[in-house]
Amino acid sequence: MAAETGVAVPAAPLCRDLAAQLGLYLEGEAGAGVCAALEAHLATCADCRALVATLRKTIQLAHDLPPPPLPDGARQRLLDAMSQFTS
């Protein structure tokens, strides 16, 4: 399982190597060579396609969540701290 996602990574060595790059790939931050290698592999590996689909859905669900509320008093403490830098 990928430690940061809790999603099972396919066992083949190439799959494991490419799975390590998926975070950058899915966030649009991977280099062109990594993207090309991942996309070529995804074209032939159903397990990795399923992994990518699962991670994309998880990321989308996380982005769709409302932000958690600030604890009581946190907003005022932030404003007080910021005022020290703007005064």
Side-chain angles (χ1 to χ4, degrees), residues 31-76:
V34 170
C35 289
L38 277 166
E39 289 163 5
H41 179 72
L42 291 172
T44 64
C45 184
D47 288 342
C48 285
R49 283 194 304 274
L51 175 63
V52 168
T54 299
L55 291 173
R56 278 192 173 126
K57 182 65 174 175
T58 301
I59 290 167
Q60 185 59 52
L61 290 170
H63 283 261
D64 291 346
L65 288 172
L70 288 174
D72 291 340
R75 184 181 194 298
Q76 189 57 51

